[in-house]
Amino acid sequence: MSRSPNDDHEATGRRNRLLRRVLAHIGRVPPDVFWFGLAIVGALTGFALQLVDGDLAPRIGVLCLVIGFIVGFGRIIYAKLGRIERLVGNSIFALISDRSLSPVAVRFLARHHQRSVAEQESILNGVISTEDEDEANEWIKTLSQEATHDVRAVDHLPLSDWFTKPEVARCLDTQLRRIDTDDLKVLRLRIVTPEQLADRDERVLLREYIRRHDDAGAELRLVSADRGRALRNFYPRTSTLLVDVDHQPACFIGHYGDDHTMESAVIYLRRTEPVGACADQWKRLWTAATKGGADRRLRDVLDQHRDDPPFDAAPTAALAG
């Protein structure tokens, strides 16, 4: 029985509809799944052709195997890289466009673009928290390196830490070096306890700490623990690093445990209420140390102990903390 033109037309229509359905289903397959499937099909086809007798089939099999893997997995890798590039590009563009964010945020994200989406969003929002001491120290290092106008700090770490802990010493060295190389202003408040003033080894370390700041051209002011305790933002378990306060500020607030290890930290990358509160309290403490005469009185106490040994002869126990 011969087929009519209408039968051929209906058969063609059915094939076209079937093809459209298949393509529609393929279109709904996630790209990663599609390209992974293509790689698997290519690999299986290549493997099957290896089993066929003859000279040509195995060669075609190897070709299918290679093409399947290159096209399939190569496309997946390319897509992943494209997503990362778009994410980082968009994040950095957003940071540059947001004039309220500290420039530190742009530079940090550019150097650490492998961070998770959640971490990048935190940077974009301008507030980052961490309980990892290494990450906290990385932020202190970044703020010290990227500040453009000034660094203002409140310090009450054990004095020996500035001489024995490499990550702490490096941050101080970076800040003091940039006074000369980048015209950076470094203003630091050092909280001093009566116990430190009464201990010979602590006085030796304190004099060396003061000398290093003076030689570099930093402005260091001493303030008593009573003054610091009145301002809860700074003492006894909190240290603060403020950069570029009068421009596009950033602020590090670290919380320390009884053993003086950092338990947690919050980094603010834009002007917020906590940053404003820290800056205001810092200025009050700086005023008390300078105009109030606290710095001069504490230095006078040090001068009363001129018979203390020089720093080079400081006992090993003092430097070991």
Side-chain angles (χ1 to χ4, degrees), residues 132-316:
D132 185 286
E133 187 172 13
D134 290 337
E135 183 177 7
N137 286 327
E138 179 68 23
W139 272 107
I140 296 175
K141 175 183 174 183
T142 299
L143 292 171
S144 300
Q145 291 174 334
E146 303 299 345
T148 55
H149 296 87
D150 57 80
V151 169
R152 307 181 189 194
V154 178
D155 162 43
H156 54 81
L157 290 174
L159 284 162
S160 58
D161 284 3
W162 295 103
F163 304 97
T164 61
K165 288 190 174 181
E167 67 277 6
V168 176
R170 277 195 296 269
C171 287
L172 179 60
D173 289 343
T174 297
Q175 294 170 12
L176 297 183
R177 184 176 63 254
R178 293 192 62 211
I179 295 173
D180 181 54
T181 60
D182 301 324
D183 200 25
L184 184 74
K185 289 184 65 176
V186 174
L187 303 95
R188 177 171 278 105
L189 285 159
R190 170 70 202 186
I191 294 177
V192 180
T193 66
E195 292 78 14
Q196 288 172 330
L197 290 175
D199 186 281
R200 186 192 67 173
D201 294 338
E202 289 292 313
R203 292 195 301 268
V204 169
L205 294 178
L206 181 57
R207 285 194 190 89
E208 177 64 15
Y209 182 77
I210 293 171
R211 184 195 66 78
R212 292 189 182 185
H213 282 77
D214 290 347
D215 288 352
E219 297 184 49
L220 174 67
R221 300 290 181 269
L222 307 182
V223 64
S224 68
D226 288 341
R227 292 273 190 178
R229 193 175 287 111
L231 302 177
R232 296 180 182 273
N233 273 11
F234 303 134
Y235 190 79
R237 297 183 181 274
T238 305
S239 283
T240 301
L241 182 70
L242 291 149
V243 303
D244 303 335
V245 172
D246 298 323
H247 303 273
Q248 290 173 281
C251 177
F252 175 94
I253 301 176
H255 303 281
Y256 295 84
D258 292 332
D259 59 352
H260 297 288
T261 58
M262 195 175 301
E263 294 182 341
S264 63
V266 181
I267 303 95
Y268 298 94
L269 295 171
R270 67 170 76 245
R271 189 179 298 280
T272 61
E273 185 176 346
V275 174
C278 270
D280 290 342
Q281 291 200 12
W282 186 92
K283 290 176 182 177
R284 287 170 55 192
L285 201 56
W286 185 263
T287 300
T290 51
K291 295 181 180 179
D295 174 73
R296 186 64 267 164
R297 286 192 294 272
L298 291 170
R299 290 177 187 252
D300 287 343
V301 173
L302 280 177
D303 290 341
Q304 295 171 10
H305 299 274
R306 296 182 181 277
D307 56 342
D308 288 343
F311 174 74
D312 292 343
T316 306

Side-chain angles (χ1 to χ4, degrees), residues 70-187:
I70 291 177
V71 173
F73 289 111
R75 185 62 181 81
I76 292 173
I77 294 171
Y78 178 78
K80 294 289 185 184
L81 291 175
R83 280 183 211 146
I84 293 172
E85 184 179 0
R86 287 194 298 274
L87 176 61
V88 174
N90 291 340
S91 298
I92 294 177
F93 178 77
L95 286 169
I96 295 172
S97 302
D98 189 346
R99 296 298 180 185
S100 66
L101 271 173
S102 167
V104 174
V106 182
R107 300 184 184 105
F108 185 85
L109 186 58
R111 288 206 309 267
H112 301 270
H113 55 79
Q114 74 278 12
R115 300 214 159 211
S116 69
V117 174
E119 289 176 309
Q120 292 192 39
E121 287 178 351
S122 294
I123 295 174
L124 286 170
N125 292 331
V127 181
I128 301 153
S129 60
T130 180
E131 295 181 355
D132 185 286
E133 187 172 13
D134 290 337
E135 183 177 7
N137 286 327
E138 179 68 23
W139 272 107
I140 296 175
K141 175 183 174 183
T142 299
L143 292 171
S144 300
Q145 291 174 334
E146 303 299 345
T148 55
H149 296 87
D150 57 80
V151 169
R152 307 181 189 194
V154 178
D155 162 43
H156 54 81
L157 290 174
L159 284 162
S160 58
D161 284 3
W162 295 103
F163 304 97
T164 61
K165 288 190 174 181
E167 67 277 6
V168 176
R170 277 195 296 269
C171 287
L172 179 60
D173 289 343
T174 297
Q175 294 170 12
L176 297 183
R177 184 176 63 254
R178 293 192 62 211
I179 295 173
D180 181 54
T181 60
D182 301 324
D183 200 25
L184 184 74
K185 289 184 65 176
V186 174
L187 303 95

